[in-house]
Amino acid sequence: MTVEPEPRNEPRSAWHALAASLAAIIDSSEDAIIGKDLDGTITSWNLGAERLYGYTATEIVGRNISVITPSDRLDELADVLRRIERGERIEHHDTQRLRKNGSVLDISVTISPVRDSTGTVIGASAIGRDITDRLSWERERKAIDVRLRQSERLESLGQLAGGIAHDFNNLLAVILNSTTFIRDELDDKEAASADLDQISLAAQRAGTLTRQLLSFSRREVLKPQIVNLNDLVTGLEEMLRRTIGEHIELVTAPAHDLCSVEVDPGQLEQVLVNLTVNARDAMPDGGLLTIDTDNIDIDAGYAEMHSGLAPGRYVRLRISDTGVGMEPSVLEHIFEPFFTTKPQGEGTGLGLATVFGIVGQAAGEIQLYSEPGIGTTCRVLLPATDRTPPDVRPAGMAQDLRGTETVLVVEDEDALREVTRRILAKNGYHVLTSANGPEALALVKDHEVSIDLLLTDVIMPQMYGKELAARLQTLRPGLAVLYMSGYAQPVLGPTLGHDAMLLEKPFSENLLLTKIRAAL
Ligand code: ADP
Ligand code: MG
């Protein structure tokens, strides 16, 4: 907007008429139109501004614009005036102002510099519009969006549960049948071991399915760690090679100086496995599978175009195959749970849905490029971190958990006692077993064996674990005790004493060995 000096060679009345009609137009506007000079002094104030702010022109002209600016917006105001002075125009800037009665007004303003005839900026004109309605509408729409996404999610989770139940039934059938076979075949060792393989395979698939279900529904307990993707790829390489078979060549190209990422390594392994299995399925007649890593900087421009990612440094994991590729109509649906183009029983359609969930949870992004007949490239971007992974000691964990001490295992359940005995014996321990308290006492009294640790069940017929421990400790002062129970520590704490060591059932091999080492 330019303020012209009064034109000299036009009739005065015509100029006045024009000015009057401009003023009428400005006053009839719903919007607040305000003039101010460069230090913020208000120079003009239309009727729209009166309606919006509650001040009349006489009240406010000559005062500073800061009167209608909330105190937390004063810095912003100073910045706006500086930009106007430089000749910038500020369009549709959403901000807040104060009404005369002190209430806060949500407003969208467009502020333009006003110049004199020489082009010098001498002030600003601001057109402001009340956006209270728009904002409340936007808030409502966001709430609706959230609800919609939730219900979509629930629906797909319902489908998911159905799919899982179906697959689980099949897996359970395999497990149950194989156990029946083994019972019949126990004298035929070779057949029995083939059936055992079946059981273990079915159980592994059942495990994978639950993990998929859990990570898809995001209920899995996450254990984020600082991880170097190169280490992860190297660690899995052998397994991946076996998975894809000999007709597919696997090439890995790890980047030098790769940044670390903070993720749950187990989940990231799942990402690698799922993508590799898809690539394998896409190359039934063989081909090339490439896995490479790199550091990628994402700038604001890219981040804006590819929604969702904040600008910054990322680590890229890329998996490319020379397989059959995908038509756009397939590509559209690949992340949907249960979307599969594979024959019944071969695909669950959960692979990419799971990957999508995991990557999203790690604040990353996944992109798939595919061309029918050429192949598919999958890019996973994960935020990089400056931290470096802790040094892993070359001597593996399992090594540290071994021991040569003598452990007395007292457990009334035969199967569990036997499993425990086998785990301990396998890890170097000398193991004695008893089915109950009196038997254990007799064993210790009759034989002058040295015992380092008592591992005992808590609730047993004839004698409770605590009494057994006390009586054995009088026979063998200094004997270490580790209790095991299906009851949790808070339940047993009062009876056992709070400093008693307790191993909760069911336990894994690793947990058992760890607790034993701690007790010893
Ligand atoms: P599933 O592998 O059980 O079918 P996914 O979610 O892993 O489920 O994949 C969904 C679908 O996406 C697949 O059925 C397949 O059609 C397509 N797809 C995924 N990865 C590839 C790939 N690398 N090459 C070609 N098609 C693929
Ligand atoms: Mg798959």
Side-chain angles (χ1 to χ4, degrees):
M1 194 185 285
T2 309
V3 179
E4 290 290 337
E6 204 174 291
R8 273 181 215 118
N9 39 12
E10 261 179 57
R12 265 188 109 66
S13 60
W15 189 83
H16 275 295
L18 181 64
S21 93
L22 268 178
I25 291 173
I26 288 176
D27 269 344
S28 69
S29 167
E30 279 284 313
D31 295 336
I33 303 177
I34 300 171
K36 58 193 172 200
D37 61 22
L38 285 180
D39 64 13
T41 307
I42 296 170
T43 53
S44 63
W45 187 262
N46 77 337
L47 279 176
E50 277 189 19
R51 275 190 296 269
L52 217 54
Y53 291 102
Y55 291 100
T56 63
T58 1
E59 278 176 315
I60 202 150
V61 169
R63 295 177 72 182
N64 196 279
I65 193 83
S66 58
V67 174
I68 56 165
T69 311
S71 53
D72 58 339
R73 300 270 180 177
L74 287 174
D75 287 348
E76 180 188 298
L77 178 68
D79 180 53
V80 164
L81 288 172
R82 263 196 304 278
R83 287 169 61 190
I84 291 292
E85 197 167 1
R86 286 201 299 265
E88 278 179 48
R89 181 177 145 92
I90 294 149
E91 277 183 50
H92 308 301
H93 169 57
D94 287 359
T95 183
Q96 288 180 327
R97 293 283 181 260
L98 283 180
R99 292 195 186 89
K100 188 180 176 183
N101 65 13
S103 60
V104 174
L105 177 71
D106 286 309
I107 194 170
S108 164
V109 281
T110 295
I111 308 171
S112 322
V114 175
R115 299 168 194 275
D116 66 12
S117 59
T118 66
T120 312
V121 177
I122 53 165
S125 72
I127 302 182
R129 176 165 296 185
D130 184 354
I131 54 168
T132 317
D133 288 349
R134 194 192 84 197
L135 288 187
S136 70
W137 181 78
E138 276 177 9
R139 270 191 290 272
E140 196 166 317
R141 202 198 54 195
K142 260 189 212 139
I144 291 173
D145 272 359
V146 168
R147 278 201 297 275
L148 194 67
R149 243 173 293 138
Q150 266 171 349
S151 70
E152 275 170 359
R153 200 173 168 70
L154 281 179
E155 194 177 317
S156 55
L157 275 177
Q159 282 181 342
L160 179 77
I164 296 271
H166 174 258
D167 276 18
F168 252 106
N169 271 335
N170 291 343
L171 296 172
L172 288 175
V174 177
I175 294 172
L176 291 174
N177 287 323
S178 301
T179 35
T180 327
F181 295 154
I182 289 182
R183 211 170 291 124
D184 300 344
E185 294 158 350
L186 262 182
D187 44 316
D188 182 352
K189 288 269 158 50
E190 218 159 288
S193 94
D195 285 321
L196 274 176
D197 287 347
Q198 280 300 313
I199 293 178
S200 124
L201 218 64
Q204 278 168 30
R205 282 195 55 207
T208 310
L209 266 170
T210 13
R211 238 173 297 131
Q212 284 190 337
L213 175 64
L214 289 172
S215 55
F216 174 73
S217 61
R218 302 193 180 183
R219 287 288 151 72
E220 193 168 38
V221 181
L222 286 184
K223 298 190 193 74
Q225 291 170 22
I226 308 295
V227 180
N228 187 294
L229 277 190
N230 288 345
D231 298 343
L232 199 91
V233 172
T234 313
L236 275 184
E237 195 168 335
E238 205 29 59
M239 196 273 273
L240 295 179
R241 239 176 251 286
R242 264 184 287 129
T243 307
I244 55 179
E246 274 168 8
H247 59 305
I248 295 171
E249 191 189 346
L250 172 64
V251 174
T252 56
H256 283 293
D257 299 326
L258 190 70
C259 292
S260 300
V261 291
E262 192 167 1
V263 290
D264 183 325
Q267 288 212 316
L268 215 59
E269 283 177 1
Q270 171 115 49
V271 166
L272 260 173
V273 170
N274 287 8
L275 295 177
T276 302
V277 168
N278 280 352
R280 175 200 66 193
D281 294 348
M283 298 186 282
D285 304 323
L288 176 65
L289 171 64
T290 322
I291 303 180
D292 70 332
T293 56
D294 210 349
N295 296 319
I296 301 282
D297 284 313
I298 290 198
D299 60 22
Y302 179 97
E304 205 168 289
M305 285 193 327
H306 303 75
S307 64
L309 284 188
R313 171 152 279 209
Y314 286 79
V315 172
R316 182 189 66 198
L317 169 71
R318 196 164 50 175
I319 298 181
S320 314
D321 66 61
T322 55
V324 293
M326 284 174 263
E327 297 287 346
S329 58
V330 170
L331 210 49
E332 241 175 79
H333 297 289
I334 47 172
F335 293 122
E336 293 168 13
F338 300 108
F339 174 82
T340 179
T341 57
K342 294 168 192 172
Q344 174 97 49
E346 272 175 43
T348 59
L350 284 175
L352 287 176
T354 307
V355 169
F356 187 83
I358 293 174
V359 173
Q361 210 166 6
E365 192 173 81
I366 176 170
Q367 301 154 344
L368 256 96
Y369 306 90
S370 193
E371 207 59 64
I374 293 182
T376 303
T377 295
C378 177
R379 285 162 41 114
V380 174
L381 294 171
L382 295 167
T385 165
D386 291 337
R387 296 159 63 196
T388 47
D391 278 338
V392 266
R393 270 172 296 142
M397 270 232 307
Q399 207 62 36
D400 300 330
L401 294 175
R402 294 174 65 85
T404 51
E405 293 90 340
T406 302
V407 181
L408 170 58
V409 179
V410 186
E411 162 67 62
D412 59 319
E413 205 184 301
D414 295 345
L416 187 59
R417 190 175 61 242
E418 177 55 15
V419 166
T420 312
R421 188 196 64 76
R422 276 167 67 174
I423 294 175
L424 292 180
K426 197 173 78 180
N427 284 280
Y429 292 94
H430 183 229
V431 193
L432 306 167
T433 58
S434 292
N436 54 56
E439 197 185 302
L441 278 171
L443 180 90
V444 173
K445 275 184 198 148
D446 290 357
H447 304 269
E448 263 311 309
V449 281
S450 80
I451 299 170
D452 302 290
L453 174 82
L454 168 69
L455 173 63
T456 179
D457 191 13
V458 178
I459 313 289
M460 289 181 295
Q462 301 177 56
M463 189 185 292
Y464 280 3
K466 190 177 179 197
E467 187 189 340
L468 172 65
R471 292 172 72 165
L472 280 181
Q473 273 169 333
T474 52
L475 291 174
R476 299 289 162 86
L479 175 74
V481 179
L482 173 61
Y483 294 101
M484 50 182 168
S485 178
Y487 299 97
Q489 180 95 47
V491 179
L492 294 174
T495 15
L496 288 182
H498 284 280
D499 49 353
M501 284 195 66
L502 180 68
L503 172 67
E504 287 178 21
K505 295 179 193 170
F507 46 79
S508 66
E509 175 165 344
N510 206 40
L511 191 64
L512 170 65
L513 295 173
T514 311
K515 282 272 186 179
I516 295 243
R517 285 288 7 125
L520 282 165

